[in-house]
């Protein structure tokens, strides 16, 4: 079995240019620290709302668009 964070860590290794968003219901300080250390692009806490999802996608699109322009 693999949780979402473990999956996103594998994605980072195999597809480093892929944006990664983690969604979780239970959020502990330990999880927040792991998310930061893993370089996850965004974190959404459940229950989800459409406005938060929209804003997150806009921000990530902007971030990755800027990366492509600067070559980062």
């Amino acid at each position: 079995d693999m949780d979402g964070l473990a999956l996103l860590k594998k994605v980072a290794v195999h597809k480093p240019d892929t944006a990664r968003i983690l969604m979780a219901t239970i959020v502990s300080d330990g999880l927040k620290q792991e998310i930061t250390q893993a370089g996850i692009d965004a974190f959404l806490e459940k229950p989800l709302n459409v406005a938060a999802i929209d804003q997150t996608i806009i921000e990530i699109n902007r971030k990755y668009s800027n990366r492509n322009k600067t070559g980062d």
Side-chain angles (χ1 to χ4, degrees):
D1 285 330
M2 184 183 305
D3 63 20
L5 184 56
L7 172 66
L8 293 178
K9 286 178 180 178
K10 285 189 177 264
V11 169
V13 171
H14 298 286
K15 298 282 187 175
D17 292 332
T18 301
R20 295 170 293 139
I21 302 171
L22 181 68
M23 297 172 271
T25 302
I26 300 170
V27 183
S28 65
D29 289 338
L31 178 59
K32 288 179 185 178
Q33 185 175 3
E34 278 191 81
I35 290 166
T36 301
Q37 290 173 344
I40 303 299
D41 295 291
F43 171 72
L44 295 170
E45 199 166 346
K46 294 178 184 177
L48 302 174
N49 69 63
V50 174
I53 295 168
D54 284 344
Q55 187 60 38
T56 299
I57 292 170
I58 289 167
E59 289 172 9
I60 289 177
N61 279 334
R62 191 174 299 133
K63 177 180 176 180
Y64 276 76
S65 205
N66 288 337
R67 273 188 190 175
N68 291 335
K69 289 179 187 174
T70 62
D72 291 342

